[in-house]
Amino acid sequence: MIAWLGLGSILVALGAALAVAWRGLPALAGRGSVPMERMRGPVLWLLGGAAAAMLVLEIGLLAGDFSIAYIANNHRIGTPLIFTIAAGWAALEGSIVLWGLVLAAFTGAVFRAIYRRDHPLAAGTLSVLGMLAVFWFGLMATVANPFAVCTAAADAAGCAVSGWAPWSAVDLPGTGRGANPLLQNHILMAVHPPVLYVGYVGFSVPFAVGIASLAAADRQGTWLRTTRTWTLTAWGFLTTGIVLGAWWSYEVLGWGGYWAWDPVENASFIPWLLATAFIHSSVVQLRRGVLQSWNYVLVIGAFAATILGTFLTRSGVIASVHSFTQSSIGPVLLAFLAVVLAGSLALFASRIHLVGSAPRLDSLASREGAFLLNNLLLAVFAFVVLSGTLFPLAVEAFQGNTVGVGRPFFDRWAVPLSYCLILAMGIGPITPFRVARRQVLWERARTPMRIALGLAALLVLLLSRNRHVIVVVVLAVFVVSAIARHLVVLVRRRAAATGQGSIAAAGTLMRRDPGYWGGQISHIGVAILAVGIAVSANHAGSGSIALSPGETAPFAGYEISYRTPFTRAEPNRDVVGARLDVSRGGQAVTVMSPSLNSYGNGVPPVVTPAVYSTPRGDLYVSLTRLDSSGMVADVWSYPLQWMVWLGGLVTAAGAGFSLSAVASRRRQAAGAGRD
């Protein structure tokens, strides 16, 4: 029954996607407008079919229906509820179902936003989204069928052979094989993938609007105003997803870090870089009418990068903790990426003479010039990450040799590029549009520069002489000081003109221009993040301790005492660990319990580190050996590690502020209209 319902839901969604694509095609092809009422039914059926497919899969997981190959291979009786639900996207086919659901939800949201508006790009946008949905649901109905059934069983642990036809299902006994232990070892697994998918799939909307704009030869920048909300939504979720993924890596993998330039980490970072460039350059086009062609290239590139990331994650072509096993989906995704790039770039080339004409910059010494510099740096950064990620694959594909591009390559480029980006981030907002006169720029930069240099001097005298830390602190403090100075100047002017208090004036200013101030919040978040990365990386301490019960070892100002081993049986795993008493200056501060978690089925134990976080930084302990004679653990200390997480979340919060403020203004305008 589960197989029939699931497959039926996918086919309903696929048929609805075809209808959405077909009914909007005349508008996309320039053969007239399409009434939105004609699109309503297919959009609703698409959303209903996608939601039903995800719901049926989750019901099958909760019921333990091991006649479904996906469930037999990725679920196990006794798994806690949250991880049972998360198993719906913990492996290849289920993740595609979630992808389709998010795409259908965005399609429905776009339809709802434009249903009663005479938007010139509405039908064309929905048609492109329908085409994308045809691919994803077609994928589910063929090579990535989540409801393929088991026709034989190797043992009670899972499904050995699967078939497509629901009528060939057999009733399998057993407890199920269970998901990858790394994917059921921390609560962030239930949160990180869906948040990241919303960010990934969200870029389908600006891409669709951009393609519809190219097809219609839009010269007015209508598509940029339309995509602003959708781009910020996708960018905010992608930012949050990347931060949560780094946090998951830090808390689960036990290697003491959070970012290793893993290929799939890079695959999420590339679209983030391109989308960040698009957000900035779209502001310039809306304000000054420049960078039109560049914006089309960026939105196509950002969407294509999400498809590339999907290919890297789900094809199995790379060795990564994130990647799924080898499957037939890889060539299909690669072909889809080729079609997307070839089709969209061909359309762009055919319209370049219509959309490429734009005013020239009055001067490179202007805010437009600063935005252009920022975009070039982001594009170079994305190219470096892309080339370092794909180079080993290209060498292996064409020469058969296995090569690696490690952290030194990425760090060698990332560090100077990051310095330049932070500097541009500080200079851009204080630079006037059109032409920046030297005296105006100096007046705005003088106070922030003095504050930054003063704090740097104190830093050198009291805390650190590491050149990377000093440079990052100077740049980060300059960014925050420049933003604070600009806000203070504007608040004083408004307070003097209106008699408002400072807090009320600041609130009014930020609500009136949420896009700008949301961007400044994100800039502050990046500054905090940069300081956290620089300090935690350059002042980290590491070592190894070997203790018998009752022994104590000093590390990074702490005294770590091995109290006793412990064991604990949980429904889905057996936990073996060590209890450690941690003190500082003779005063007990905490008890840490690093462990080794075993999930059965012959899978090696998963190392689960223990982390003690304080405002000063983190103490990180990861077991490497535990037996009757004692324990051995790797230990790290990371000063100001909390700034990494705070900075990343503040960066994402900037997008949230912009979106919430815009939504609030729209509600107020709607209320005023009803009155």
Side-chain angles (χ1 to χ4, degrees), residues 219 284-285 287-292 355-362 368 434:
R219 298 186 180 185
V284 179
Q285 182 179 339
R287 179 71 180 261
R288 298 280 291 114
V290 298
L291 304 180
Q292 292 182 21
V355 302
S357 58
R360 293 182 177 273
L361 295 180
D362 294 328
E368 300 95 308
R434 295 184 179 275

Side-chain angles (χ1 to χ4, degrees), residues 332-343:
V332 180
L333 284 170
L334 198 58
F336 179 58
L337 174 61
V339 170
V340 167
L341 282 174

Side-chain angles (χ1 to χ4, degrees), residues 438-608:
R438 188 176 303 174
Q439 58 270 29
V440 173
L441 194 57
W442 171 245
E443 180 186 354
R444 295 179 178 181
R446 180 176 54 200
T447 299
M449 189 179 299
R450 289 173 176 171
I451 294 173
L453 292 175
L455 284 178
L458 288 175
L459 180 67
V460 171
L461 290 173
L462 302 177
L463 297 174
S464 174
R465 296 189 180 182
N466 182 280
R467 68 179 186 278
H468 295 296
V469 174
I470 294 169
V471 170
V472 169
V473 168
V474 168
L475 294 174
V477 172
F478 175 75
V479 169
V480 176
S481 299
I483 295 170
R485 177 204 167 275
H486 186 48
L487 180 61
V488 168
V489 169
L490 293 179
V491 166
R492 286 177 177 173
R493 288 178 185 173
R494 180 165 184 83
T498 63
Q500 285 183 307
S502 297
I503 296 177
T508 301
L509 285 169
M510 296 179 75
R511 286 193 299 271
R512 285 189 171 183
D513 195 356
Y516 175 82
W517 290 109
Q520 301 318 300
I521 292 172
S522 292
H523 288 174
I524 292 172
V526 172
I528 296 171
L529 174 66
V531 172
I533 292 174
V535 174
S536 65
N538 289 284
H539 288 285
S542 63
S544 180
I545 57 174
L547 300 173
S548 297
E551 291 185 339
T552 300
F555 177 76
Y558 292 99
E559 297 85 40
I560 303 175
S561 301
Y562 178 26
R563 182 197 297 177
T564 180
F566 69 89
T567 60
R568 182 172 65 248
E570 297 181 359
N572 63 326
R573 64 185 184 182
D574 294 320
V575 180
V576 177
R579 288 195 175 88
L580 307 175
D581 292 328
V582 180
S583 57
R584 192 180 191 98
Q587 298 293 321
V589 293
T590 190
V591 175
M592 302 181 71
S593 301
S595 64
L596 302 172
N597 299 337
S598 299
Y599 288 83
N601 291 335
V603 179
V606 175
V607 176
T608 301

Side-chain angles (χ1 to χ4, degrees), residues 637-658:
S637 64
Y638 292 110
L640 303 184
Q641 180 65 35
W642 58 270
M643 293 186 72
V644 175
W645 317 129
L646 176 64
L649 295 177
V650 170
T651 302
F657 172 81
S658 295

Side-chain angles (χ1 to χ4, degrees), residues 66 75-84 175-179 184-185 567-576 597-601:
F66 295 131
H75 175 54
R76 189 179 185 186
I77 297 299
T79 300
L81 176 62
I82 188 65
F83 294 115
T84 297
T175 59
R177 184 174 297 155
Q184 50 176 320
N185 204 46
T567 60
R568 182 172 65 248
E570 297 181 359
N572 63 326
R573 64 185 184 182
D574 294 320
V575 180
V576 177
N597 299 337
S598 299
Y599 288 83
N601 291 335

Side-chain angles (χ1 to χ4, degrees), residues 330-460:
V332 180
L333 284 170
L334 198 58
F336 179 58
L337 174 61
V339 170
V340 167
L341 282 174
S344 55
L345 291 178
L347 179 60
F348 172 72
S350 70
R351 295 291 193 270
I352 187 66
H353 63 289
L354 299 175
V355 302
S357 58
R360 293 182 177 273
L361 295 180
D362 294 328
S363 171
L364 288 176
S366 61
R367 188 175 298 187
E368 300 95 308
F371 274 104
L372 179 60
L373 173 63
N374 177 79
N375 272 13
L376 291 175
L377 291 170
L378 288 167
V380 170
F381 205 158
F383 176 76
V384 168
V385 178
L386 177 66
S387 60
T389 303
L390 296 184
F391 178 74
L393 301 181
V395 171
E396 186 173 355
F398 292 106
Q399 297 183 1
N401 300 325
T402 301
V403 298
V405 175
R407 185 163 193 157
F409 168 81
F410 292 105
D411 286 348
R412 189 179 301 118
W413 284 94
V415 171
L417 284 171
S418 298
Y419 291 166
C420 294
L421 280 168
I422 298 172
L423 180 60
M425 191 172 66
I427 293 176
I430 65 174
T431 306
F433 280 102
R434 295 184 179 275
V435 178
R437 295 195 304 273
R438 188 176 303 174
Q439 58 270 29
V440 173
L441 194 57
W442 171 245
E443 180 186 354
R444 295 179 178 181
R446 180 176 54 200
T447 299
M449 189 179 299
R450 289 173 176 171
I451 294 173
L453 292 175
L455 284 178
L458 288 175
L459 180 67
V460 171

Side-chain angles (χ1 to χ4, degrees), residues 239-275:
T239 304
T240 306
I242 291 173
V243 174
L244 294 179
W247 204 344
W248 172 84
S249 177
Y250 185 72
E251 294 278 349
V252 170
L253 298 184
W255 61 283
Y258 52 87
W259 190 270
W261 297 106
D262 177 279
V264 181
E265 293 172 346
N266 297 346
S268 64
F269 192 41
I270 294 167
W272 186 90
L273 290 168
L274 295 176

